Amino acid sequence: MPPDISVAVVDAETPGNVGTVARAMKNFGLSDLLLVDPPELDPEGEAYGMAGHAREDVLPNAREVTFDHLVDSFHTVGCTAVTNEDARKHVRYPFRTPADLADSLRDVEADTCIVFGRERVGLTNDELGRLDEVCAIPASADYPVLNLGQAATVVIYELRELTVAEAQVPDEIERADEAEIEGLHQEFVRYLRNVNHPEEKRAKARRLLRRVLGRAHPTGREARTLRGILRRGNGLLEHPERLRDDREE
């Protein structure tokens, strides 16, 4: 069973960023927002304006806590843009990327808190040194610093496997069944014959199509549509008078 996951923002300077974090939490199935030394969050102000539907629950239910409370109460993951590049220092190294984080947290048998720092300087070395894990977003070396709201959205998105039971998009594309795909191949064989494709090249052409469809995993609708196009083309090639009739109409 995945852990309960909270999100903490430490010493945020801009109310709007707190609202953006709350909105990202709402998008990806999180609700427990913890704030350490937060700015004033006016219900008529920027935070609520940026929060979207999270203004109805996540943001008004946010709790103000101390950094000590985070350390004492949770398995903590500190998020940072800047890391050391080797194993000689252990404040910001080793670190996980957001894409790795869901797998690492899946079997943690403790309440977990993802901790974000200040807009300008993030979390200090002293703060990171008190947290259990470090997460960093790989970005351009020329400009690796993300806005607080952006960074939180990226990290929280990558945790969706643990936090979102059902999304608005299907989990996977439903591949056409083999009979539908094989019917498409047979129609292609008929087409090669009708266009008088060189007989010695037909086997290669059939193999190429099979490889393409094998990689593409077409849906049933896609396979039926392509087969229908080939079938119509074959019908016109085999009965050209139908094409003349269509033009006369």
Side-chain angles (χ1 to χ4, degrees):
M1 182 176 180
D4 289 331
I5 297 177
S6 302
V7 173
V9 181
V10 176
D11 197 15
E13 301 166 17
T14 306
N17 274 329
V18 177
T20 301
V21 173
R23 181 172 185 156
M25 292 173 63
K26 182 79 171 182
N27 285 142
F28 300 111
L30 295 172
S31 59
D32 190 28
L33 175 59
L34 308 175
L35 303 173
V36 177
D37 298 325
E40 183 177 352
L41 303 180
D42 182 355
E44 303 298 323
E46 186 180 40
Y48 279 77
M50 297 295 289
H53 286 283
R55 72 169 67 90
E56 300 170 1
D57 45 21
V58 178
L59 200 52
N61 292 328
R63 294 178 287 145
E64 186 170 348
V65 300
T66 64
F67 195 86
D68 287 341
H69 174 78
L70 300 179
V71 174
D72 293 341
S73 305
F74 296 94
H75 174 81
T76 49
V77 180
C79 297
T80 178
V82 181
T83 64
N84 296 315
E85 295 183 355
D86 57 41
R88 291 176 295 177
K89 297 180 180 180
H90 295 282
V91 175
R92 300 173 185 265
Y93 185 98
F95 59 89
R96 300 186 190 278
T97 67
D100 298 328
L101 200 54
D103 283 340
S104 75
L105 295 179
R106 195 179 306 277
D107 297 322
V108 173
E109 295 182 358
D111 292 342
T112 296
C113 187
I114 312 300
V115 185
F116 298 93
R118 304 156 187 84
E119 287 90 339
R120 289 183 297 170
V121 297
L123 296 168
T124 67
N125 279 352
D126 287 342
E127 288 166 342
L128 282 171
R130 299 182 64 192
L131 303 180
D132 299 305
E133 297 188 64
V134 175
C135 176
I137 299 172
S140 170
D142 293 333
Y143 191 49
V145 180
L146 278 74
N147 170 277
L148 170 60
Q150 293 174 319
T153 301
V154 170
V155 174
I156 294 168
Y157 165 77
E158 292 291 357
L159 294 175
R160 67 195 183 283
E161 292 181 15
L162 303 180
T163 61
V164 176
E166 183 177 352
Q168 89 284 8
V169 295
D171 291 335
E172 58 185 25
I173 295 173
E174 293 185 8
R175 186 177 187 271
D177 63 43
E178 293 307 316
E180 290 175 317
I181 293 176
E182 198 57 36
L184 174 55
H185 283 298
Q186 294 306 314
E187 204 65 51
F188 184 62
V189 169
R190 180 183 167 200
Y191 178 80
L192 292 175
R193 184 178 62 250
N194 284 331
V195 297
N196 201 25
H197 191 70
E199 190 167 356
E200 69 275 10
K201 295 183 178 181
R202 293 179 192 178
K204 182 178 181 180
R206 294 197 302 270
R207 188 165 58 249
L208 287 175
L209 181 64
R210 192 168 292 276
R211 296 293 180 267
V212 169
L213 295 180
R215 294 194 304 271
H217 301 300
T219 64
R221 182 177 183 180
E222 290 167 341
R224 289 190 298 272
T225 299
L226 291 174
R227 185 181 181 184
I229 293 170
L230 286 175
R231 184 187 297 118
R232 176 169 173 77
N234 282 325
L236 293 175
L237 288 166
E238 293 167 359
H239 303 280
E241 69 277 5
R242 295 179 183 173
L243 183 58
R244 289 195 298 271
D245 293 342
D246 288 345
R247 287 175 178 173
E248 290 173 359
E249 290 177 0

